[in-house]
Coordinates of all heavy atoms in Angstrom, one line a residue:
Chain B
G317 N -11.6 -26.7 0.3 CA -12.7 -26.3 -0.6 C -12.3 -26.5 -2.1 O -11.1 -26.8 -2.4
L318 N -13.2 -26.3 -3.0 CA -13.0 -26.5 -4.4 C -13.5 -25.4 -5.2 O -14.6 -24.9 -5.1 CB -13.6 -27.8 -4.8 CG -13.3 -28.3 -6.2 CD1 -13.1 -29.8 -6.3 CD2 -14.3 -27.9 -7.3
F319 N -12.6 -24.9 -6.1 CA -12.9 -23.8 -7.1 C -13.3 -24.4 -8.4 O -12.7 -25.4 -8.9 CB -11.7 -22.9 -7.3 CG -11.2 -22.1 -6.1 CD1 -10.2 -22.6 -5.3 CD2 -11.8 -20.9 -5.8 CE1 -9.8 -21.9 -4.2 CE2 -11.3 -20.1 -4.7 CZ -10.3 -20.6 -3.9
W320 N -14.1 -23.6 -9.2 CA -14.2 -23.7 -10.6 C -13.9 -22.3 -11.2 O -14.4 -21.3 -10.7 CB -15.6 -24.2 -11.0 CG -15.8 -25.6 -10.8 CD1 -16.5 -26.2 -9.8 CD2 -15.4 -26.7 -11.7 NE1 -16.5 -27.6 -10.0 CE2 -15.9 -27.9 -11.1 CE3 -14.7 -26.7 -12.9 CZ2 -15.7 -29.1 -11.7 CZ3 -14.5 -28.0 -13.5 CH2 -15.0 -29.1 -12.9
Y321 N -13.0 -22.4 -12.2 CA -12.6 -21.1 -13.0 C -12.9 -21.4 -14.4 O -12.8 -22.5 -14.9 CB -11.2 -20.8 -12.8 CG -10.8 -20.2 -11.5 CD1 -10.5 -20.9 -10.4 CD2 -10.7 -18.8 -11.4 CE1 -10.1 -20.3 -9.2 CE2 -10.3 -18.2 -10.2 CZ -10.1 -19.0 -9.1 OH -9.7 -18.4 -7.9
Q322 N -13.2 -20.3 -15.1 CA -13.4 -20.3 -16.6 C -12.2 -19.6 -17.2 O -11.8 -18.5 -16.7 CB -14.7 -19.6 -17.0 CG -14.9 -19.6 -18.5 CD -16.1 -18.6 -18.8 OE1 -16.1 -17.4 -18.5 NE2 -17.1 -19.2 -19.5
Q323 N -11.6 -20.1 -18.2 CA -10.5 -19.4 -18.9 C -10.7 -19.5 -20.4 O -10.6 -20.6 -21.0 CB -9.2 -20.1 -18.5 CG -8.0 -19.3 -19.1 CD -6.7 -19.9 -18.6 OE1 -6.6 -21.1 -18.4 NE2 -5.6 -19.1 -18.5
H324 N -10.9 -18.3 -21.0 CA -11.0 -18.2 -22.5 C -9.5 -18.2 -23.0 O -8.6 -17.7 -22.3 CB -11.7 -17.0 -22.9 CG -13.2 -17.1 -22.8 ND1 -13.9 -16.6 -21.7 CD2 -14.1 -17.7 -23.6 CE1 -15.2 -16.9 -21.9 NE2 -15.4 -17.6 -23.0
A325 N -9.4 -18.6 -24.2 CA -8.0 -18.8 -24.8 C -7.3 -17.4 -24.8 O -7.9 -16.4 -25.2 CB -8.2 -19.2 -26.2
G326 N -6.1 -17.4 -24.2 CA -5.3 -16.2 -24.2 C -5.6 -15.3 -23.1 O -5.1 -14.2 -23.0
E327 N -6.6 -15.7 -22.2 CA -7.0 -14.8 -21.1 C -6.7 -15.4 -19.8 O -6.4 -16.6 -19.7 CB -8.5 -14.4 -21.3 CG -8.8 -13.7 -22.6 CD -10.3 -13.3 -22.6 OE1 -11.0 -13.5 -21.6 OE2 -10.7 -12.9 -23.7
A328 N -6.8 -14.6 -18.7 CA -6.6 -15.1 -17.4 C -7.9 -15.8 -16.9 O -9.0 -15.5 -17.4 CB -6.3 -13.9 -16.4
P329 N -7.7 -16.7 -16.0 CA -8.9 -17.4 -15.4 C -9.8 -16.4 -14.7 O -9.3 -15.5 -14.0 CB -8.3 -18.4 -14.4 CG -6.9 -18.6 -14.8 CD -6.5 -17.3 -15.4
T330 N -11.1 -16.7 -14.8 CA -12.0 -15.9 -14.0 C -12.8 -16.8 -13.1 O -13.2 -17.9 -13.5 CB -13.0 -15.1 -14.9 OG1 -13.6 -16.0 -15.8 CG2 -12.3 -14.0 -15.7
F331 N -13.1 -16.3 -11.9 CA -13.8 -17.1 -10.8 C -15.2 -17.5 -11.2 O -16.0 -16.6 -11.6 CB -13.7 -16.3 -9.5 CG -14.5 -16.9 -8.4 CD1 -13.9 -17.9 -7.6 CD2 -15.8 -16.5 -8.1 CE1 -14.6 -18.4 -6.5 CE2 -16.5 -17.1 -7.1 CZ -15.9 -18.0 -6.2
L332 N -15.6 -18.7 -11.0 CA -17.0 -19.1 -11.2 C -17.6 -19.5 -9.8 O -18.7 -19.0 -9.5 CB -17.1 -20.3 -12.1 CG -16.7 -20.1 -13.6 CD1 -16.8 -21.4 -14.3 CD2 -17.7 -19.1 -14.2
S333 N -17.0 -20.3 -9.1 CA -17.6 -20.8 -7.8 C -16.5 -21.3 -6.9 O -15.4 -21.7 -7.3 CB -18.6 -21.9 -8.1 OG -17.9 -23.1 -8.7
Y334 N -16.9 -21.4 -5.6 CA -16.1 -22.0 -4.6 C -17.1 -22.8 -3.7 O -18.0 -22.2 -3.1 CB -15.4 -21.0 -3.8 CG -14.5 -21.6 -2.6 CD1 -13.4 -22.3 -2.9 CD2 -14.9 -21.4 -1.3 CE1 -12.6 -22.9 -1.9 CE2 -14.1 -21.9 -0.3 CZ -13.0 -22.6 -0.6 OH -12.2 -23.2 0.4
N335 N -16.8 -24.1 -3.5 CA -17.7 -25.0 -2.7 C -16.9 -25.5 -1.5 O -15.8 -26.0 -1.7 CB -18.2 -26.2 -3.5 CG -19.2 -25.8 -4.6 OD1 -18.8 -25.1 -5.5 ND2 -20.4 -26.3 -4.5
V336 N -17.5 -25.4 -0.4 CA -16.9 -26.0 0.9 C -17.7 -27.1 1.4 O -17.2 -28.1 1.8 CB -16.7 -24.9 1.9 CG1 -16.2 -25.5 3.2 CG2 -15.8 -23.8 1.5
L337 N -19.1 -26.9 1.4 CA -20.0 -27.8 1.9 C -20.6 -28.7 0.8 O -20.6 -28.3 -0.4 CB -21.1 -27.1 2.6 CG -20.7 -26.2 3.7 CD1 -22.0 -25.4 4.3 CD2 -20.0 -26.9 4.8
D338 N -21.0 -29.9 1.2 CA -21.6 -30.8 0.2 C -22.9 -30.2 -0.3 O -23.6 -29.5 0.4 CB -22.0 -32.1 0.9 CG -20.8 -33.0 1.2 OD1 -19.7 -32.7 0.7 OD2 -21.0 -34.1 1.8
G339 N -23.2 -30.5 -1.6 CA -24.4 -30.1 -2.2 C -24.2 -29.2 -3.4 O -23.1 -29.1 -3.9
L340 N -25.3 -28.7 -3.9 CA -25.3 -28.0 -5.2 C -25.5 -26.5 -4.9 O -26.4 -26.1 -4.1 CB -26.5 -28.5 -6.0 CG -26.6 -27.9 -7.4 CD1 -25.5 -28.4 -8.3 CD2 -28.0 -28.3 -8.1
E341 N -24.7 -25.7 -5.5 CA -24.9 -24.2 -5.5 C -25.1 -23.7 -6.9 O -24.4 -24.0 -7.8 CB -23.6 -23.6 -4.9 CG -23.3 -24.0 -3.4 CD -22.3 -23.1 -2.8 OE1 -21.8 -22.2 -3.4 OE2 -21.9 -23.4 -1.6
E342 N -26.2 -22.9 -7.0 CA -26.6 -22.4 -8.3 C -26.3 -21.0 -8.4 O -26.6 -20.2 -7.5 CB -28.1 -22.8 -8.5 CG -28.4 -24.2 -8.5 CD -29.8 -24.6 -8.8 OE1 -30.2 -24.2 -9.9 OE2 -30.5 -25.2 -8.0
K343 N -25.8 -20.6 -9.6 CA -25.6 -19.2 -9.9 C -26.0 -19.0 -11.3 O -25.2 -19.2 -12.3 CB -24.1 -18.8 -9.7 CG -23.6 -18.6 -8.3 CD -22.1 -18.1 -8.4 CE -21.5 -18.1 -7.0 NZ -20.1 -17.6 -7.1
G344 N -27.2 -18.6 -11.6 CA -27.7 -18.4 -12.9 C -27.6 -19.7 -13.7 O -28.1 -20.7 -13.3
R345 N -26.9 -19.6 -14.9 CA -26.8 -20.8 -15.8 C -25.8 -21.8 -15.3 O -25.8 -22.9 -15.8 CB -26.4 -20.3 -17.2 CG -27.5 -19.5 -17.9 CD -27.1 -19.3 -19.4 NE -25.9 -18.6 -19.6 CZ -24.8 -19.2 -20.1 NH1 -24.8 -20.5 -20.5 NH2 -23.7 -18.5 -20.3
F346 N -25.0 -21.4 -14.3 CA -23.9 -22.2 -13.8 C -24.2 -22.8 -12.4 O -24.7 -22.0 -11.6 CB -22.6 -21.5 -13.8 CG -22.0 -21.1 -15.1 CD1 -22.7 -21.2 -16.3 CD2 -20.7 -20.7 -15.2 CE1 -22.2 -20.9 -17.5 CE2 -20.1 -20.4 -16.5 CZ -20.9 -20.5 -17.6
S347 N -24.0 -24.0 -12.2 CA -24.1 -24.6 -10.9 C -22.9 -25.5 -10.6 O -22.3 -26.1 -11.5 CB -25.4 -25.5 -10.8 OG -26.5 -24.8 -11.2

Side-chain angles (χ1 to χ4, degrees):
Chain B
L318 189 142
F319 293 95
W320 283 98
Y321 282 85
Q322 180 190 60
Q323 186 178 28
H324 284 100
E327 298 181 9
T330 55
F331 174 85
L332 292 177
S333 64
Y334 179 69
N335 292 64
V336 177
L337 302 177
D338 286 354
L340 184 69
E341 293 191 7
E342 300 185 57
K343 284 185 184 179
R345 294 190 299 114
F346 291 13
S347 303

